[in-house]
Amino acid sequence: MYGKAFAPEYQGALTTLSVNSSLVDVLAAGTEQLRAAERAGARGEVARSGLAVAEAHRRLGQVGDADRAWKASYRAAREAGDTAAMAWALWSGGTLARQRGAFPLAWRLLGLAAEFGERGGDIVVRGYSLAGMAETGRIQGDYEAVGALHEQLLAEARKRGEARHTVWALEGIAQIHRNTGSYDTAYAMFEEAAEIAGRADDRRGHAWALRGLADIVSVRDGDAERALGLLAEAEVTCREMNLSSALAYNHKMRGNVLYRAGRYAEARHVYSQALAEFRAMSEPRGEALSRLGLAKSLAHLGHDLDDTAAELADLAQVLERIGLRHARQMVARAQAEFGIVTATDAQTATAPDTDAQTATAPDTDAAQTATGLDADAQTATAKDTGPRTGPGARAGSAKPAAVGTDTAAAATPTPGTPAATATATETDAAAAAAAAVGNPATPLAGTEVRR
């Protein structure tokens, strides 16, 4: 039995806010409470009200404001000695990093958040942070690494009767099934998520579930009109709650439905709309997916094939750089659909020469292995590079480390692979965190995706 959905990120004096509160209202209430807490010198309340402000900015697509807000919340929590509040701030920062395509930074911050949550005795933020890590891996297409974590979190959420978290886990697992071709299983899970979200009055979760159902109805059943109806229903919620990111993804899915139905001119219009929305909020994943849909629609409408090939080649590089495996495969399928020969295809055509080169592979492999051993030795001595991260990492062992650092300092191994790095000492980590978060204007590094 599930209770009514609640929003644990609205804390302190803001606990009266609903999970369905308009983000504009959340931002206004959070900002007012934040100013009052600052005047009173209540650092703990500054941290907790600042978290709501950060999340409202993030979900509204105001990424610069969100970046400054979560770092300020972390600093206030650290000054108050509130480990759980520090964990929530790190969770917000990690979620923002994922939203902006900075996946190594997202892994690091969310891993720290999970460990801080365990150390601070807050099982909710620990669960949210592990869920964030699972979602990061899923978005990157590393289903094998994070599938079990999704299932674990679903079981925990069901056991505790947490509707919102159950809905999230169901939708994540459903998306994995959808992307691997198990449409019936995906549909059943999206349907259950929609039902639970509806009973629990979780309008955001319900809107995402409707989007998932629309996708399955379109790709499996070929029923464009029903899919568009589901998306229209979800869009009402997105607009009423000012869910900028969810609305943009809703529009991108509308483009997918229209494209599959052969309505290319309509798809082109909707993809263009979604592309503008994603660019306005610096959301590289959504931007890339919208560009892909737009390129395919234009190709069907008679766009020059060389221009299409150039756009798809650029998208392939962007997605490779971001680290989105599933989306990269989508580009490869588009290239095949339009008969575009890629560099990889050209290399394959020269197989005899390649085979000849392969004969010398043992020497090359040996050289690479020797280099790899040197790299591993260097990594093992990197005292300040951070804790173990990824789904395979053990929660509860990290120290407060560099928050908001660049991706070089926050480098993270492949999801599911424990890092071979030593954890910084408490003193070193505190100093690193102070340096990294000391400048409120410091942007998230490594998040800009250049075309």
Side-chain angles (χ1 to χ4, degrees):
M1 185 66 182
Y2 297 98
K4 187 174 181 179
F6 68 100
E9 66 268 33
Y10 302 153
Q11 303 172 6
L14 301 173
T15 53
T16 55
L17 291 173
S18 163
V19 67
N20 297 321
S21 294
S22 162
L23 293 176
V24 173
D25 293 341
V26 172
L27 182 57
T31 300
E32 181 181 357
Q33 181 57 33
L34 175 61
R35 298 294 173 255
E38 288 174 337
R39 288 192 298 270
R43 302 307 291 164
E45 186 60 29
V46 167
R48 296 187 182 278
S49 55
L51 172 66
V53 170
E55 282 301 286
H57 279 309
R58 180 182 68 79
R59 291 165 177 162
L60 287 167
Q62 300 162 356
V63 292
D65 291 327
D67 185 34
R68 287 184 287 271
W70 82 259
K71 290 176 181 178
S73 174
Y74 177 87
R75 288 195 301 272
R78 186 185 59 205
E79 292 165 9
D82 190 335
T83 304
M86 291 165 69
W88 277 109
L90 289 164
W91 164 78
S92 181
T95 305
L96 177 63
R98 181 180 66 241
Q99 181 174 315
R100 297 192 64 181
F103 294 113
L105 182 58
W107 278 106
R108 177 170 171 77
L109 294 179
L110 290 167
L112 282 167
E115 295 167 358
F116 278 37
E118 180 169 309
R119 199 186 315 156
D122 190 327
I123 62 171
V124 178
V125 69
R126 179 182 180 276
Y128 269 57
S129 301
L130 290 174
M133 296 168 73
E135 186 165 349
T136 301
R138 176 176 58 75
I139 288 173
Q140 290 183 277
D142 199 346
Y143 304 141
E144 183 177 354
V146 299
L149 182 55
H150 271 82
E151 295 284 357
Q152 172 195 330
L153 293 168
L154 174 60
E156 292 178 1
R158 287 192 190 278
K159 183 177 180 180
R160 292 196 294 265
E162 293 179 359
R164 189 182 180 202
H165 218 53
T166 300
V167 168
W168 167 85
L170 282 168
E171 291 172 350
I173 298 170
Q175 192 63 49
I176 292 174
H177 283 298
R178 181 262 179 266
N179 289 348
T180 52
S182 300
Y183 298 134
D184 292 345
T185 301
Y187 185 90
M189 298 189 81
F190 278 128
E191 192 172 44
E192 183 183 359
E195 181 183 354
I196 294 173
R199 290 202 309 264
D201 195 25
D202 176 6
R203 298 186 66 198
R204 182 186 294 115
H206 189 257
W208 281 105
L210 291 179
R211 176 183 173 276
L213 287 171
D215 187 24
I216 303 299
V217 167
S218 168
V219 72
R220 182 191 66 179
D221 306 334
D223 191 341
E225 293 309 315
R226 184 181 169 214
L228 292 172
L230 290 166
L231 290 170
E233 182 182 349
E235 182 166 346
V236 172
T237 296
C238 294
R239 292 192 180 280
E240 290 180 351
M241 295 181 62
N242 302 108
L243 301 174
S244 302
S245 180
L247 181 61
Y249 275 106
N250 182 293
H251 290 157
K252 197 273 299 180
M253 182 57 69
R254 180 177 292 275
N256 291 356
V257 171
L258 292 168
Y259 179 87
R260 292 168 190 151
R263 295 157 62 173
Y264 302 122
E266 294 174 82
R268 175 187 59 187
H269 172 74
V270 178
Y271 281 132
S272 296
Q273 179 184 7
L275 178 58
E277 291 169 335
F278 284 122
R279 281 178 172 164
M281 65 182 76
S282 300
E283 164 61 287
R285 173 172 169 258
E287 178 182 342
L289 293 173
S290 298
R291 284 178 59 195
L292 174 59
L294 181 58
K296 291 165 60 180
S297 299
L298 288 170
H300 279 287
L301 292 170
H303 197 61
D304 184 79
L305 185 60
D306 288 341
D307 289 343
T308 299
E311 174 70 350
L312 293 178
D314 184 60
L315 273 172
Q317 292 180 349
V318 167
L319 293 168
E320 197 74 45
R321 186 163 63 246
I322 298 175
L324 296 172
R325 304 177 188 180
H326 177 70
R328 176 63 184 86
Q329 293 168 2
M330 293 168 63
V331 173
R333 288 196 294 271
Q335 290 168 325
E337 177 183 350
F338 296 107
I340 295 171
V341 178
T342 66
T344 301
D345 296 331
Q347 290 174 358
T348 302
T350 61
D353 293 339
T354 304
D355 290 340
Q357 292 171 359
T358 303
T360 64
D363 292 341
T364 303
D365 290 345
Q368 291 175 343
T369 300
T371 303
L373 289 174
D374 291 341
D376 289 343
Q378 292 171 359
T379 302
T381 63
K383 297 293 180 73
D384 297 325
T385 54
R388 296 172 56 177
T389 52
R394 180 179 64 83
S397 62
K399 303 297 186 289
V403 178
T405 55
D406 61 25
T407 50
T412 305
T414 301
T417 305
T421 56
T423 303
T425 66
E426 195 77 42
T427 302
D428 290 344
V437 192
N439 181 3
T442 301
L444 278 173
T447 58
E448 293 295 328
V449 179
R450 302 292 181 185
R451 288 186 59 184

